[in-house]
Amino acid sequence: SKRESRSRAMLFSSRHVLQIEQSTRIERVLREADLTRELAVYFQPIVDSRTGKAVAFEALARWTSPVLGRVSPALFIPVAERAGLVQKLTRVLLEKALAAAEQWPDEMRLSFNLSTHDISSSEGIVRILGIISASAIDPKRIDLEITETAMMYDFDQAKAAVELLRQLGCGIALDDFGTGFSSLSQLHALPLTKIKIDRSFVSCIDKTPASHKIVKSLLTLSRDMGLDCVIEGVEKKEELAVLEKLGGRLIQGYFYAPPVPEAEVARFFPEPRLK
Ligand code: C2E
Ligand code: CA
Ligand code: CA
Ligand code: CA
């Protein structure tokens, strides 16, 4: 009815207002925050399903604000992007992630997320190159994750940034693959080393024929392009069974582990080999 649709519209707009108020509040607190103290990095293992052991860890930001409590990165990263604060966050997070990874076995890789604004200026990218060069980690052990959407924001600029990172030796993972609208010719023009299939294609893959087809073709595509392929958001053993049948090997998701603090990372390392 008309009345129903009007009240639904009001509900929507009041929710929208709440979201704007929330973002404004987050922005205000974030500007004043002691980022070095309040930001932490958690690590989620990326597991080779054949061995059940980690081959890499994705660094994921955690913010505990004395004012707001715990705030999800899905909320504060977009706010930081819009407020022009993301480069400051990235510096703190990347330094913490690298310091943790310095303690890991040599073969273990670190995956780190970059935002649109991290790669949208040459000063931004130079700063990231500087932080990586200053760490004791071989850049070849680092993968930088860039979403398909961030890559398409300013394609030429993103391409230049990615080329610089590749020159230093870093790998480049296309994050949330399949959710953006890049064309194959654009993908081919980027020196990618890895793609990450978004979790929206994986949930209930054991019951949804459409998802099954999409993941199958994305796996084939990555193989044909010579890229590694990480499958995100695997929660159930039924999903894992389907993915293994399709040839998916690199798995990230709650089935193996949620993101964990630095102190818990070691339990996912392979057993040390006897010399
Ligand atoms: P993302 O890069 O796609 O990271 C994966 C997200 O999926 C993480 O959420 C992770 O905790 C969650 N996840 C992993 N496995 C599962 C699963 O099996 N089921 C479900 N339901 N979720 C799973 P998180 O940590 O809340 O981060 C959300 C987003 O915030 C990230 O999505 C990324 O876009 C952004 N983000 C997080 N940390 C950083 C950072 O340091 N820098 C930047 N630029 N963005 C970050
Ligand atoms: Ca990511
Ligand atoms: Ca992702
Ligand atoms: Ca995502």
Side-chain angles (χ1 to χ4, degrees), residues 109-110 129 132-133 137-144 161-172 191 193:
R109 303 181 66 81
L110 169 70
L129 293 170
I132 293 174
S133 307
I137 304 266
D138 183 348
K140 292 194 180 67
R141 289 173 55 195
I142 302 172
D143 293 312
L144 295 159
V162 162
E163 280 164 356
L164 283 173
L165 291 163
R166 288 289 294 134
Q167 270 169 35
L168 189 66
C170 300
I172 304 291
T193 55

Side-chain angles (χ1 to χ4, degrees), residues 64-93:
T64 310
S65 155
V67 185
L68 301 173
R70 266 181 170 255
V71 187
S72 158
L75 283 175
F76 73 79
I77 296 281
V79 170
E81 278 262 312
R82 282 194 299 272
L85 295 167
V86 86
Q87 290 180 352
K88 225 168 107 192
L89 265 73
T90 297
R91 181 172 47 75
V92 172
L93 293 165

Side-chain angles (χ1 to χ4, degrees), residues 97 190 241 255:
L190 295 168
F255 175 76

Side-chain angles (χ1 to χ4, degrees), residues 147 175-176 179 198-199 232:
T147 63
D175 203 356
D176 298 351
T179 62
D198 190 67
R199 111 168 154 251
E232 294 190 281

Side-chain angles (χ1 to χ4, degrees), residues 25-39:
R25 184 135 192 263
I26 291 173
E27 181 181 334
R28 207 178 329 116
V29 178
L30 198 56
R31 277 189 196 286
E32 304 295 317
D34 180 351
L35 294 178
T36 312
R37 257 179 116 94
E38 296 172 29
L39 286 176

